Amino acid sequence: MRALTPTGRPGCLAEITDVDAPRPAAHEALVRVRTFSLSRLDLLCLSAPGTRYRPGIDAVGHVERPAADGSGPAAGVRVVLHLPSGGAAAQLVAVRAARLTPVPAGVDSPAAAALPLAGLMARRLLAEAGPLTGRRLLVTGAGGGVGGLLAQLAVAGGAEVTAVVPERKPGQQRLAAMGVRVVRDVDSLPPGDFDIVLESVGGALGSTTSRSLRNGGRILWFGQAGGEPLTLDFFGLLDGGPPLTLRHFARPAAGEEADAREVAHLLDLAAEGRLRVEIGHRGHWGETAAVLEDMAHGRLPGKAVLTVG
């Protein structure tokens, strides 16, 4: 069978090669993959020196052979695969039945493939933020996979949400229609106006958000899409800046059953039209190397979803 494998070559981080077909254990189903999404985590793992990482954390396919122990979905069921360690970008994948989530009829496969990793991160960030009703949230990177879902879920949870989107990007009108206030830059916002900043850009934009926090506010820092780190001036904060808490947030491991329950909830919200994931590129998996390059250079809005040929 064929699968995406790492090359170790900058500019062409992954290619389609022939690999051994999987041999499912009794508790595993054999899934024929149709569609998968690429994330920045795929890019980071493939860029590591000497990596053996195979891309594909989220994918959609059909159960070709159900688990021999009788657990999980039956043959022919369309399912989401969420594999935190990667490997879903392949024609066939052996997956623990507990990790498979049936896809509701109202959700198309590209949307389902783009949802789990970003959606789980968004849900867990908001859980870390605490009660949302009546709180004022500032979200950077709302044009990306996680940021857009964060903004939508926060509004649904009762928060007042402002999203910083420096350039016009797809999905802005949808965010506005869902009750998100969209602004071009942080400097246009009054100081001390927000309870929590959800920051994923870094650099000057991310650093400036600290001035928007009220006294005792929090920054939940979960990414650095702009390539530059946050820079906070200790003495600048003393000189009229608000006391704040900075929390570095990495996606916690919650276990496969918890992941599956949360993915099912996200898919239900999508089926009801209450959650939309922005897909910036749809194509064939032969384009993977080029898509990863676009992602590395910030040329890809939203998620990338590729079809297995």
Side-chain angles (χ1 to χ4, degrees):
M1 73 159 198
R2 312 199 78 195
L4 278 174
T5 57
T7 66
R9 301 194 306 270
C12 182
L13 292 173
E15 63 185 4
I16 302 169
T17 62
D18 292 319
V19 300
D20 293 336
R23 297 180 179 181
H27 60 278
E28 293 179 324
L30 187 66
V31 177
R32 184 165 293 278
V33 176
R34 305 297 186 189
T35 307
F36 67 92
S37 63
L38 287 172
S39 69
R40 291 195 68 85
L41 185 54
D42 287 307
L43 173 64
L44 292 171
C45 291
L46 286 167
S47 300
T51 186
R52 299 178 67 183
Y53 174 81
R54 283 170 49 175
I57 294 172
D58 296 326
V60 171
H62 290 82
V63 176
E64 185 150 300
R65 189 190 312 156
D69 65 4
S71 61
V77 173
R78 186 171 60 128
V79 291
V80 165
L81 298 67
H82 175 63
L83 306 180
S85 58
Q91 290 176 320
L92 292 169
V93 182
V95 188
R96 287 179 63 89
R99 283 205 172 275
L100 298 177
T101 306
V103 182
V107 182
D108 67 18
S109 293
L115 189 58
L117 180 63
L120 290 172
M121 185 70 166
R123 277 177 59 89
R124 290 168 190 175
L125 273 163
L126 293 177
E128 177 69 21
L132 296 176
T133 302
R135 301 181 85 184
R136 297 177 64 80
L137 274 60
L138 180 63
V139 180
T140 66
V146 177
L149 295 177
L150 257 178
Q152 294 174 62
L153 291 170
V155 168
E160 297 179 38
V161 180
T162 298
V164 182
V165 185
E167 301 174 358
R168 185 171 297 280
K169 292 186 176 182
Q172 282 184 222
Q173 290 183 336
R174 187 178 303 128
L175 286 175
M178 291 182 171
V180 177
R181 178 190 177 197
V182 179
V183 299
R184 288 281 180 267
D185 62 85
V186 181
D187 291 329
S188 66
L189 299 171
D193 205 34
F194 295 93
D195 300 297
I196 297 174
V197 171
L198 296 145
E199 206 307 280
S200 63
V201 174
L205 188 155
S207 303
T208 305
T209 61
S210 65
R211 298 202 295 264
S212 301
L213 282 171
R214 63 165 177 79
N215 284 351
R218 301 170 68 199
I219 299 176
L220 294 181
W221 183 24
F222 66 98
Q224 195 167 294
E228 297 293 330
L230 291 178
T231 54
L232 299 177
D233 184 340
F234 178 82
F235 294 104
L237 290 175
L238 285 178
D239 184 21
L244 58 85
T245 300
L246 175 65
R247 165 83 157 87
H248 175 262
F249 188 91
R251 187 174 69 92
E256 57 190 29
E257 291 183 0
D259 283 352
R261 285 195 301 271
E262 292 190 59
V263 168
H265 178 68
L266 290 164
L267 289 169
D268 286 342
L269 290 176
E272 295 164 6
R274 295 162 59 194
L275 190 64
R276 295 285 297 273
V277 60
E278 190 64 40
I279 298 176
H281 179 85
R282 301 179 188 227
H284 184 266
W285 68 334
E287 303 170 21
T288 297
V291 172
L292 289 168
E293 277 295 287
D294 285 342
M295 192 179 292
H297 292 91
R299 298 191 293 260
L300 183 67
K303 300 281 289 184
V305 177
L306 303 176
T307 301
V308 175

